[in-house]
Amino acid sequence: MAASFPLPANEAERLEALRRYRILYGVREEIFDRIAEMARSMFGTFRGLINFVDTDRVWIKAGGNRQYMMRGESICALTILDGDILVIPDTAADSRVNKMSLLMELGVRFYAGAPLVTRDGFRIGTLNVVDDKPHADLSIEQRDWLRTLAQLAMNELDLHRELAARVEAERDLELMNQMMLAIAEAPNAREALDTSVRLIADEIGAVHGAVFEVVPFRETIQMIGAYGATPLWRAEIERVCRATIPVGNSLTGIALVKNRPVVTDVREAVKMFPQLGDKVAAGSKISISIPLTQGDRRFTMHFFFEERPANADAMAVRIVELADKFRPALVRKLSEERIAWLYSMVVNADDAAILMMPDNFSAPSAPLRIAYVNPSTTRITGYDEKELTGQIPAMLFADAAEARALENLEHGAPLRREVQWRRKDGSLAWVEINAVSVDAEGGGHRIVALIRDMTRRRELEHALREREQTFHLMFSSAPVPMMLLDVKHQRYVEVNDAAIHLFGYSREAFLEMSAETIRSPDELPRYKAMMRTPVPESGRRGLWRYVKADGGQVLVDVGVHPFRFQGRSMAIIVTVDVTEQKRIEEQIRRARDAAEAVSRAKSDLLANMSHELRTPLNAIIGFSQIMREELFGPLGGARYTGYVGDILESAQHLLAVINDILDLAKIEANSLQLKEKEIDPRDAVTSAVRLVRPRADEAGIRLEFVDKAPGISLFADETALKRVLVNLLANAVKFSETGTHVSVESRLTDGGGAALAVIDRGIGMAPEDIPVALTPFQQIDIGLRRKYEGTGLGLPIAKQLMELHGGTLTIESAVGVGTTVIVAFPSSRVIYNETLQVAAASPLPSDVRNTADVFAAMPNTPKIKSAPLSSKTA
C-alpha cells in the first residue's frame, strides 16, 4: 500500500543513512534535551523538539513526552522534503496540515523546523519549535538561529557516532581476539563454531544460537554448531538436527532463498515448521537468520532473543559484520579439518595409495621415486613402507611398459587400466591403477596413484560367468514355458525351448514380437487395462488365452516375477498350459451340476410324494381310530376289530416312514430350521425313554439313564434332540436281545463340550458296515432287512440333525458285542448352571442314575456361578 505522506526522492538511501547513526529507540540524552530547551527559550514557544523520521514513524529524541508519532501525523515529514526551513505561522489556516488530528489533539498552532542534514546530504530528521498559538513568520535572524541549532544537533550526532564507532571497534577487536584464540585452540571445527556462536550471542544479547549447513546433493540441513543458555535447549536442538529436514521446510531455506537477514516471530516459526518443537522456542520470541556462503558450501546462523531488539534490522547487520570478521579463521579451521579427514581417508583406505616424485626437481629427466605409501600398500604388495620409499615404481610392475606409461604421464593426464602387479614373494596379482600427474613446487611433476587389488574381483567375475552360463542352461532347458520381458517396451528379450515348443514361434520371431501380439484379440482390452496399473509384485496374473503360431489358442496360467537388471525393468513370465485341465474341470462341473439337479429333483419328489401321501393317511388313521373305539356303534365282529387295529398300526407305521422321508428331504434341501433355546438334556432323555419304553417292555429289554454330567444345560432344539434320542433308542431296542438292557449316559467331553451316549448289548455290526448304516435307505444286509423292519433313515436323520447343531454323531460297534452311539455338542452350546465335578479316572458307582444321586456322591463339590446364556452360545 502506498504511503499517505510524501516521500523524498532518495528515501531508501536516506533511511540507510539514518540507521548508520543508530540513534532510534535509544534512551534520552542530556545534550539533546539541552539543545531542544535552548530552541524553545530562544523562540518563546512552549516546546522545542529533536525528531528523526523513520519509515512510517517519527521518533522523538528530545523535547517531547511521547516516544514517537506516526509519520503521516507529523509536519516533520514535510520538513525533510526541502533543504530549507519550514515555517507554518498558523496550522489551522494551512491546508497541508490542518487535517492532522494529532496536531489538533495537542493544540499545535505554530510550527518552525529545520532539517537535520548529514555530511553526505541526507535529511534524517528535524529540529523544530511548536506553540499553542499562531506566530508571525520567522525573521532572517531567527531562521539562522534555527539552522545553527540544527547544525549543533548534527555535530553532536556525528560526535556520538564517531565515539560509538571507536568503542565498537575496540569491543570488536577484543571479541575477534577471543574468537581467533578460541578457534585456534579448538580441537575441531565443531567446538570452534560452538565457541564463536556463544561469543556472538553474548555480544548481541541473544539467549540461543545455532549454525546450520546445507548437506550437498540432498538439499537437507544439519547443525554444525550451537550455543544454548540451558542444557535442555542444546539437547532439544540436537534432537531437531538429527531429523532429516528439507531445506525448503526450514528457517535456513527462507534465509538462503531471500539471500538476506530474516527476522521471524518464533511462535509463527513453530507453526510454519512444527519440527522445531515448543522446547526450541521456549524462552525466546524473535529469531534472526543470517545466510552465509563459502565457496560451494551454504550456511545459516540463527540467533534467538527473549525480546524483540529495538532495531532488529540493525541487529541483523551487526551479526553479519561479526560473522564476516571471524569467517576467515573459521574457514581455515574447516579446511584443516577437511585435510585431516582426507588424510584419514588415505591412511585407512582399503586401496593402496602411492605418491611418486622425482629425485631432483631441477632436472626434467630425473626418474620418479616412491615418496609415500599408505598401510594398504603393504598389505597388497607385501613390502613395508621402508622397503618401498625411495624405490622406482617399476619394481612393482610385471610389465616394464606399464611402468613407463605411468612415469611418462603428462600434467593433468589421467591413467586408468588393469595391470599385473609383482608382490614381494614373486607372485603376480591383478590390480586396477588410477593415476594422475599434478604440479609440484619447484618444477617437475608428481604422480598420485590409487591401486585396487582386482584378484578377488576377477575370481568373482569368472564365477559369475560360470553362473550365468548355468542359469542360461537352466532357463533354456526348464520344462515350464518362460519368457524374459522388457517391461518398459513390452518386448521379449529371451525365451526358453519349452515356450518355443508350446507356442510354435521360433526364437527369432519371439524376439521381434511385442507382448501384445501373442495375446488373444478379445483379451486386448483387459491387457491394456492391466498395463495402466503399477507393476505389481511377484505372483500369479490369472488365466489368459495366447495365440499360437498356427493361429490356434492355448489357455495358460500366467505367473510374473518383476526385477531390475542394469537399470531396466524386467520380468520373467512363466506360463503353464491349462487348456486340457480346464476342459476336464468343465466336464466335472457339468457332471456336478447335473448330479445336484438330480438330487434336488429327488428331494422335491420325496417332499411332494410325502405331502400327497400324508393327507389320505391322516384320514385312514382318523377313521381307523373311530372304528376301533366304536364311537358310532359296534363293528359286528371280533375279526373286524382286529382288521381295524391292523389298519391303524400299518397307517401309523407308514406315516412315520413318510415323516422320516419328509424330514430327510428338508434337511438335504437346507430348509429345516432349528428352534433353539436353553433346554435340560435330562428332560429330553426322560421324554425319549418314555416314548420307547412300551416297545422295550414288549421286547423284554430294560432302559436306564446314567447322568454323568449333572448341572448342565444345552442351547439346542429340544424336539430335534428328542427325535435323535428316540431314533437311537428305537434302534438299540430293535437290535438287542430279550433280557439285555439299553442305557443312556450323559458325559462331559474334552474342551468343555457335552455328549449323550446310547449303549446296547445287541448284535452289533462290523466297522466296515458303519458307513452303510449312516447312509439313507440302507441296511447292513438282506437278512437284517427281513428280520428287522425299517427304512434305514433313523441314523442318517439323527446324524444330520446333530450336524445342524454343530455337533457330531459317531458309532462304536463290534459284532456280537453291542453298539455305542455318541452324540456330542460343542462347548459353545453347553451352559454350566450348577456344581459339576466328575473325575474322569474314577467312574461313578453303578447305582448312580440321576442328578440327585450324582450330588449325593459328591458332597464337597464347589459351586460354579451360572453364566449368561449369550456368553455360552454360538
Side-chain angles (χ1 to χ4, degrees):
M1 179 181 295
S4 60
F5 44 82
L7 297 175
N10 61 351
E11 176 70 1
E13 294 82 358
R14 188 192 71 80
L15 290 172
E16 184 177 347
L18 172 64
R19 283 168 175 69
R20 285 198 293 267
Y21 282 90
R22 300 180 184 176
I23 198 65
L24 304 182
Y25 322 111
V27 298
R28 293 292 179 87
E29 298 181 54
E30 182 180 359
I31 184 61
F32 293 107
D33 286 334
R34 288 181 181 177
I35 294 173
E37 175 60 22
M38 187 183 303
R40 185 200 67 76
S41 176
M42 290 176 66
F43 288 93
T45 60
F46 76 83
R47 183 160 295 166
L49 302 109
I50 296 177
N51 299 331
F52 296 100
V53 182
D54 199 359
T55 306
D56 57 355
R57 299 182 184 186
V58 174
W59 298 92
I60 301 172
K61 182 66 176 177
N65 297 324
R66 305 168 64 92
Q67 185 180 12
Y68 66 88
M69 65 184 71
M70 301 310 296
R71 187 169 174 177
E73 293 289 325
S74 173
I75 305 177
C76 297
L78 301 176
T79 307
I80 64 171
L81 296 177
D82 198 330
D84 201 2
I85 292 173
L86 176 64
V87 179
I88 302 178
D90 187 357
T91 59
D94 194 311
S95 60
R96 294 174 297 175
V97 300
N98 58 12
K99 300 272 180 71
M100 294 181 178
S101 58
L102 184 60
L103 293 182
M104 292 185 289
E105 178 185 337
L106 297 176
V108 175
R109 294 292 301 277
F110 170 75
Y111 173 90
L116 299 177
V117 184
T118 66
R119 293 175 181 176
D120 44 2
F122 294 106
R123 294 183 286 275
I124 61 174
T126 67
L127 183 145
N128 59 79
V129 291
V130 295
D131 205 353
D132 57 359
K133 56 183 179 293
H135 282 232
D137 196 357
L138 297 183
S139 65
I140 295 176
E141 184 181 16
Q142 288 175 320
R143 288 176 181 264
D144 289 340
W145 293 349
L146 199 58
R147 291 190 189 95
T148 300
L149 290 173
Q151 186 60 49
L152 179 60
M154 280 304 305
N155 291 342
E156 288 297 329
L157 279 176
D158 289 333
L159 179 60
H160 276 61
R161 179 183 175 187
E162 291 170 2
L163 291 175
R166 181 178 300 176
V167 171
E168 184 175 297
E170 293 174 353
R171 189 170 66 248
D172 285 355
L173 181 60
E174 175 64 22
L175 179 62
M176 288 306 105
N177 289 336
Q178 295 180 30
M179 284 188 179
M180 298 306 173
L181 182 62
I183 292 172
E185 294 180 349
N188 52 57
R190 175 61 187 268
E191 291 196 17
L193 273 171
D194 289 350
T195 303
S196 301
V197 172
R198 177 179 60 79
L199 291 172
I200 294 177
D202 290 343
E203 171 66 18
I204 64 177
V207 291
H208 308 306
V211 181
F212 289 86
E213 181 180 10
V214 177
V215 180
F217 312 114
R218 288 197 306 169
E219 287 302 303
T220 58
I221 60 173
Q222 64 178 359
M223 190 185 74
I224 59 174
Y227 162 72
T230 63
L232 177 63
W233 188 89
R234 176 61 179 266
E236 183 64 15
I237 200 70
E238 290 278 9
R239 178 197 66 76
V240 171
C241 296
R242 283 194 294 271
T244 301
I245 303 175
V247 175
N249 192 29
S250 65
L251 292 175
T252 293
I254 293 177
L256 291 174
V257 169
K258 293 186 176 181
N259 196 28
R260 62 175 175 79
V262 177
V263 180
T264 309
D265 185 290
V266 174
R267 289 171 297 182
E268 295 299 321
V270 171
K271 293 178 182 177
M272 294 167 58
F273 312 117
Q275 72 273 11
L276 283 175
D278 294 335
K279 293 181 180 178
V280 173
S284 60
K285 293 182 180 179
I286 296 295
S287 74
I288 299 179
S289 305
I290 308 297
L292 301 171
T293 57
Q294 184 66 39
D296 59 347
R297 302 177 71 179
R298 294 178 292 166
F299 306 87
T300 54
M301 300 183 71
H302 306 269
F303 290 95
F304 297 82
F305 298 83
E306 288 181 330
E307 299 292 339
R308 184 183 182 93
N311 188 339
D313 293 336
M315 182 64 73
V317 172
R318 174 68 173 155
I319 296 172
V320 172
E321 292 174 353
L322 294 174
D324 286 340
K325 290 178 180 178
F326 82 88
R327 188 204 304 252
L330 186 60
V331 168
R332 181 171 181 177
K333 192 72 176 182
L334 292 172
S335 299
E336 290 174 356
E337 188 168 72
R338 180 171 289 187
I339 291 172
W341 291 344
L342 292 174
Y343 178 75
S344 176
M345 288 172 59
V346 172
V347 170
N348 298 297
D350 215 24
D351 297 339
I354 301 178
L355 173 64
M356 293 161 275
M357 62 176 61
D359 281 336
N360 186 354
F361 286 154
S362 62
S365 59
L368 290 175
R369 300 281 180 176
I370 298 174
Y372 171 81
V373 296
N374 70 345
S376 290
T377 307
T378 298
R379 175 178 55 80
I380 294 175
T381 64
Y383 294 99
D384 61 31
E385 182 180 359
K386 293 181 179 179
E387 291 175 312
L388 289 174
T389 303
Q391 301 298 322
I392 59 175
M395 68 176 291
L396 296 173
F397 288 84
D399 187 342
E402 297 288 357
R404 286 194 297 274
L406 176 66
E407 294 173 356
N408 295 331
L409 272 180
E410 296 181 359
H411 169 65
L415 174 71
R416 180 174 182 176
R417 62 182 64 180
E418 287 190 15
V419 300
Q420 279 195 303
W421 194 290
R422 191 182 304 280
R423 296 192 180 103
K424 181 178 180 179
D425 60 6
S427 62
L428 298 179
W430 282 99
V431 297
E432 180 185 67
I433 183 169
N434 286 274
V436 65
S437 174
V438 296
D439 281 333
E441 296 179 3
H445 68 286
R446 291 180 177 144
I447 304 294
V448 178
L450 296 177
I451 295 92
R452 176 168 296 177
D453 189 348
M454 303 301 292
T455 306
R456 177 59 179 163
R457 195 187 80 173
R458 288 207 162 210
E459 293 174 352
L460 292 175
E461 287 176 349
H462 177 70
L464 181 59
R465 283 193 296 271
E466 288 187 345
R467 192 178 303 168
E468 288 177 350
Q469 293 172 356
T470 302
F471 170 77
H472 190 271
L473 179 62
M474 292 175 62
F475 177 82
S476 299
S477 304
V480 178
M482 292 188 293
M483 294 90 83
L484 187 59
L485 179 70
D486 184 327
V487 174
K488 180 178 179 181
H489 300 98
Q490 288 295 294
R491 292 276 180 179
Y492 296 114
V493 297
E494 187 57 84
V495 294
N496 68 351
D497 296 340
I500 294 173
H501 175 74
L502 174 61
F503 299 111
Y505 301 101
S506 66
R507 178 172 278 100
E508 292 74 17
F510 256 119
L511 302 186
E512 290 177 359
M513 70 169 59
S514 69
E516 180 179 324
T517 307
I518 200 171
R519 298 179 187 273
S520 176
D522 58 351
E523 290 192 342
L524 288 181
R526 175 186 169 200
Y527 166 73
K528 291 178 180 177
M530 179 184 71
M531 293 305 299
R532 289 193 293 268
T533 60
V535 177
E537 297 180 355
S538 299
R540 293 182 60 219
R541 297 296 179 267
L543 300 180
W544 294 81
R545 286 197 302 278
Y546 279 14
V547 179
K548 300 171 67 174
D550 60 6
Q553 293 189 1
V554 58
L555 187 65
V556 291
D557 191 352
V558 177
V560 177
H561 174 65
F563 63 96
R564 300 283 297 178
F565 177 70
Q566 295 182 350
R568 299 164 64 189
S569 294
M570 309 292 287
I572 295 177
I573 311 298
V574 180
T575 58
V576 178
D577 184 2
V578 295
T579 308
E580 183 63 20
Q581 175 187 338
K582 288 300 176 182
R583 187 186 64 79
I584 295 173
E585 288 178 357
E586 180 62 20
Q587 291 178 346
I588 294 173
R589 186 189 64 79
R590 290 177 181 174
R592 184 184 66 245
D593 291 346
E596 290 176 352
V598 170
S599 178
R600 286 194 298 272
K602 179 201 73 174
S603 298
D604 293 342
L605 174 62
L606 290 175
N608 291 333
M609 181 186 71
S610 299
H611 177 72
E612 293 299 327
L613 291 174
R614 286 170 66 178
T615 301
L617 277 176
N618 285 330
I620 294 172
I621 291 172
F623 288 128
S624 298
Q625 289 176 337
I626 291 172
M627 294 171 67
R628 187 184 62 179
E629 299 297 331
E630 297 181 343
L631 296 178
F632 300 113
L635 295 179
R639 183 177 295 178
Y640 290 137
T641 302
Y643 291 160
V644 169
D646 292 340
I647 293 172
L648 178 59
E649 183 179 354
S650 299
Q652 289 175 335
H653 174 72
L654 184 56
L655 181 60
V657 171
I658 291 171
N659 285 336
D660 285 345
I661 294 173
L662 187 58
D663 287 347
L664 183 63
K666 285 183 179 180
I667 293 172
E668 290 183 348
N670 294 322
S671 62
L672 182 63
Q673 298 295 323
L674 297 179
K675 298 178 181 178
E676 299 167 299
K677 62 180 180 179
E678 183 177 354
I679 65 171
D680 189 337
R682 291 179 294 276
D683 294 341
V685 173
T686 301
S687 178
V689 169
R690 184 169 58 250
L691 291 174
V692 180
R693 188 175 298 280
R695 194 182 309 175
D697 292 342
E698 183 180 350
I701 296 171
R702 180 164 56 91
L703 296 179
E704 60 182 357
F705 173 38
V706 181
D707 190 1
K708 293 184 179 180
I712 67 167
S713 297
L714 297 175
F715 187 68
D717 185 324
E718 186 171 14
T719 301
L721 179 57
K722 289 179 182 179
R723 181 72 177 277
V724 170
L725 292 172
V726 168
N727 286 349
L728 298 182
L729 286 169
N731 273 353
V733 170
K734 182 193 302 184
F735 296 107
S736 294
E737 299 295 336
T738 301
T740 61
H741 70 276
V742 173
S743 61
V744 181
E745 288 186 2
S746 63
R747 304 173 178 176
L748 292 180
T749 62
D750 294 339
L756 295 170
V758 178
I759 307 167
D760 67 59
R761 300 296 183 268
I763 61 174
M765 59 182 128
E768 60 270 17
D769 290 332
I770 293 175
V772 178
L774 293 173
T775 304
F777 303 105
Q778 295 291 320
Q779 287 190 339
I780 295 174
D781 58 36
I782 299 300
L784 284 179
R785 286 199 194 99
R786 291 197 200 97
K787 183 176 180 181
Y788 302 100
E789 296 297 333
T791 61
L793 294 177
L795 283 176
I797 289 176
K799 180 175 182 296
Q800 294 192 40
L801 288 174
M802 286 305 300
E803 290 173 351
L804 286 175
H805 283 83
T808 59
L809 183 149
T810 55
I811 299 176
E812 301 171 0
S813 185
V815 177
V817 176
T819 301
T820 299
V821 182
I822 303 171
V823 290
F825 289 89
S827 60
S828 60
R829 289 185 173 273
V830 180
I831 304 168
Y832 294 87
N833 297 316
E834 299 179 2
T835 306
L836 180 61
Q837 181 177 346
V838 179
S842 304
L844 294 174
S846 59
D847 58 343
V848 176
R849 291 293 179 266
N850 52 48
T851 304
D853 292 337
V854 171
F855 282 95
M858 298 181 294
N860 298 322
T861 303
K863 296 294 182 181
I864 301 175
K865 185 177 180 180
S866 176
L869 177 62
S870 59
S871 65
K872 290 292 182 179
T873 56

